[in-house]
Amino acid sequence: CLGAARVLLKFGADVDATDDLGRRAVECIPDSSSFELVPDAQDLINKMTRLLSEGLEGRGRGTLMKPGSSSISGRTILQAMGLKLNDRVVVGNKLGTLRFCGTTEFATGMWAG
């Protein structure tokens, strides 16, 4: 999940986006002290917290890439997220099948559907 978050941030994910309860992604990361007995969990939690916090701070400095500013493929993004075409996915409260990931002519950036 850390790799997927990096890819999403690299392509301009909105770190201020909120869920139905008004929480940002960084606010949904569990407290690492709750996972003392789980190998590597504390390290992963700390890395994710740093990544999302730096993503919040980095927006104003231009450290994140703008959508469409790289030639990275849709397949590469899917691999980073642990997905592949024809996987069943949930978006919001809807279940579907991932059939496309890539650039389009109608808008910049990477699109999936």
Side-chain angles (χ1 to χ4, degrees), residues 57-81:
E57 295 166 7
R59 287 179 302 148
R61 295 191 307 260
T63 58
L64 300 178
M65 295 175 62
K66 299 277 188 246
S69 66
S70 173
S71 61
I72 192 165
S73 72
R75 176 175 285 161
T76 301
I77 290 176
L78 290 178
Q79 285 176 338
M81 296 175 69

Side-chain angles (χ1 to χ4, degrees), residues 15-97:
V15 292
D16 289 324
T18 59
D19 65 9
D20 293 339
L21 299 176
R23 301 173 300 185
R24 296 177 318 186
V26 73
E27 297 168 334
C28 296
I29 300 171
D31 180 16
S32 62
S33 65
S34 302
F35 293 88
E36 292 175 349
L37 301 177
V38 181
D40 301 324
Q42 288 182 315
D43 186 48
L44 179 60
I45 289 169
N46 292 334
K47 286 179 180 178
M48 182 66 79
T49 302
R50 275 194 309 274
L51 177 66
L52 292 176
S53 296
E54 290 168 2
L56 286 168
E57 295 166 7
R59 287 179 302 148
R61 295 191 307 260
T63 58
L64 300 178
M65 295 175 62
K66 299 277 188 246
S69 66
S70 173
S71 61
I72 192 165
S73 72
R75 176 175 285 161
T76 301
I77 290 176
L78 290 178
Q79 285 176 338
M81 296 175 69
L83 295 170
K84 61 187 179 307
L85 293 181
N86 297 316
D87 278 354
R88 297 291 283 172
V89 294
V90 176
V91 178
N93 62 352
K94 298 184 180 197
L95 180 64
T97 302

